[in-house]
Amino acid sequence: MTSAPVRIGLLGCGTVGQAVVRTLLEGGATIERASGHRLEVGPILVRDPRKPRPGVDPALITTDPARVLEDPSVSIVVEVMGGLDPALDYLRTALGRGQSVVTANKQLLSRHGQELLQAAQEAGAELRFEASACAAIPVIKVLRESLLAAGITAVTGIVNGTTNFILTEMARGGLAYGDALARAQELGYAEADPTEDVNGADAAAKMAILSSIAFHMRVTIDDVPYEGIDRLEAEDLEHAGSLGFVVKLVGVARLLNGSVSVRVYPALVPRGHRLAAIGGPDNAVLLESRTTREIMLVGPGAGGAETASAVVADLLSILGTHQGSFLHNALADSGRTIAAPGSVESAFYLRMSVSDRPGVLARVSSIFGDQAVSIRSVVQSGSGDEASLVLVLHSGPEGRVVAAVEGLRALADVRGEPVLLRVLGSGEGGG
Amino acid sequence: MTSAPVRIGLLGCGTVGQAVVRTLLEGGATIERASGHRLEVGPILVRDPRKPRPGVDPALITTDPARVLEDPSVSIVVEVMGGLDPALDYLRTALGRGQSVVTANKQLLSRHGQELLQAAQEAGAELRFEASACAAIPVIKVLRESLLAAGITAVTGIVNGTTNFILTEMARGGLAYGDALARAQELGYAEADPTEDVNGADAAAKMAILSSIAFHMRVTIDDVPYEGIDRLEAEDLEHAGSLGFVVKLVGVARLLNGSVSVRVYPALVPRGHRLAAIGGPDNAVLLESRTTREIMLVGPGAGGAETASAVVADLLSILGTHQGSFLHNALADSGRTIAAPGSVESAFYLRMSVSDRPGVLARVSSIFGDQAVSIRSVVQSGSGDEASLVLVLHSGPEGRVVAAVEGLRALADVRGEPVLLRVLGSGEGGG
């Protein structure tokens, strides 16, 4: 069910743009099999054509916006240049000519989103911007589509990874704000100029975008009062901790008797609250509605890969809307098979009742040794005929663990049936 | 941009069916404004027409399947009758005639999903089933659309609310399995016959559906080995706890060198793992992919309202796919305005340096009293000129809190600038 290739033009080709090109090239076969469309990378507008852009065909690079915006073979424009000017003009032009647009531009959307959506509607084109707010978690799609009829009453989020990392470090290590910021910069979680993150402006722009979708209204960044974390003192995090709270920079959008309040501020969050557990550079958004109780989406703060992935998802979403075909094709058989259970690797917990006689542990251990299954920890409790052994095993093929347990059953020291439970995750496989 | 009404036929009208009818009637205006479509409730197939169905027009009720399946004015069929037979035949007929189908039927999808999807594709019809697995969280939409090109490598979930509630109670209260199950039944989190929940079969059916979408392959419930929680002992939960784990019933689907392993079992989950924090009757699904780090969706285990909401979202999704219009209309102005900040209610944390003189607390308290702001707790630390007061205020209009702080600034006892932070949630407003 493959149709003619769909040509994509790019505005900008920095980290995100290059990742988009890479995803389209490397993921081309998957995308084509699943969507029924071949996506083709077309002209790419850049400021400096001499910069190295590994993997990008130099013949596609141009400094002339008309090559993207006036090429009738370009049906979708991806804007990853950022900034207001000239991005706004370019997108007006593209939409005006009926090109669909995918953009990652938070500044632009949080100021001119409504205008651009109207331009798209008038032209019968699509405008998508999942990458503009919390790109790693598809919160805009969920709000726009899954919860369209649910009647959203509140959107509460930790929508800036930099500040969440800083606050997590301050709380964990008792660090002062400046030291935590320096650590964030060292690890790449904060930019050299972190102003927009730490003063709350970045979160405010995202909350403007999310609340305009959630509440079906125009909300710009100018409607969102914001406070940052740059004046927080370690002392206040300590007091908060002793009162049972953690401090988070939150965006809060609420429906109040037909009017809407959207704000960003550092808040004390009760330790039992869902958002209290969101640490490090992660993002999370809680959605409350009339018809369903609250749901939460959690994911990493967006880097280049997440942003590019959201851009590509938006591209596929536009194609799906035009053709209605890709959902079925998504089930096209991938040729994968079900794995044999014995070959799967898992870590295990094992409890068994044993008679506490000399040499029990040695006999048990040697059975595991014979199967090359390694033991992470053993705890023996009780004594005499009431003793029990609790072992945690390192990850290994399940077939071998099962064989070892067979061996244990044959031991005179082991009484009754051993209890065997898998241990999940923690870098141990766990499936 | 409203077009002709879209007529919906229903197969079944129990709790979920009635909730769907209610949502379509009550939410009609919102749905129409946002989607550009008027949805009309058409014929409703039931077994016993005499049962009371409040809010459902009796003239629509029928016991003749042909009235739903052979009415050319019915363009979408909603199947909420459950079971394999005759639901499978009905859906084959509907799809064969080109009617699109929305179903909440987990049993059916986990056995015959592939066949039904193929029938839909051949007929150019849509088949949607968000409500069939973790209805409250739109995980199927996210897998099918947002993460289509991401290359999913693992799906790990707590997908059964009944067992998660039971395990949470066992761990928290040291309850035996039977007592925790009884409590779940008392509170409506477990059915009178909980077999399918506690033996893992319900979770296995959901994991079959999720993994077939995630990995683009046929996975039926017969491909999913499952173990339940009905033989877990309190003793093992205690051992797990002392080793740093919680016990959860998890579904684990993983891609392993081109083959796929999908299983359900009770597992030890490290306390720092994202799934460890999911308590009570909640569901959560972790999605890992090649291009983005893991994301998690969390929500309540599905009840009637959540299932109906997912069915309606699927209906809108089908309309969106056909018309491509509703995303823009979703921004149609709702007439809402931005609330005046002073009128928003919040709880507050307040820290200030004070000189520790007789009557300080009385003077501070009376200023709050004058503004009718009530104090939840006060802690004074230090003494003399180094004293500081930390107050937590009950929720109230922000304008009054700000006025009180103005009053505090004028007090001779207060030194420097008071630190004012909001307190989120915990039933206190918190916006």
Side-chain angles (χ1 to χ4, degrees), chain A residues 117 125 128 141 145 236 260 263 268 274 282 296 298 327-328 331 337 339 349 351 398 422 424 431, chain B residues 117 125 128 141 145 236 260 263 268 274 282 296 298 327-328 331 337 339 349 351 398 422 424 431:
Chain A
L117 279 161
R128 302 281 175 137
K141 188 173 203 72
E145 302 180 23
D236 293 304
V260 168
R263 301 189 299 170
L268 275 66
R274 285 195 197 284
D282 281 348
M296 181 169 72
V298 185
L327 297 178
H328 299 137
L331 269 200
T337 55
Y349 158 100
R351 175 174 61 84
E398 293 201 357
R422 289 178 191 82
L424 193 76
Chain B
L117 279 161
R128 302 282 175 137
K141 187 172 204 70
E145 302 180 23
D236 292 305
V260 168
R263 300 190 298 171
L268 276 66
R274 284 194 197 285
D282 282 347
M296 181 169 73
V298 185
L327 297 178
H328 298 138
L331 269 199
T337 55
Y349 158 100
R351 175 174 61 84
E398 293 202 358
R422 290 177 190 81
L424 193 76

Side-chain angles (χ1 to χ4, degrees), chain A residues 228-261:
Chain A
I229 63 162
D230 38 344
R231 275 173 296 180
L232 279 182
E233 299 192 22
E235 187 180 349
D236 293 304
L237 271 72
E238 274 165 43
H239 285 303
S242 65
L243 291 162
F245 297 97
V246 294
V247 176
K248 298 284 182 192
L249 183 73
V250 293
V252 180
R254 287 197 297 156
L255 186 61
L256 309 159
N257 305 321
S259 70
V260 168
S261 162

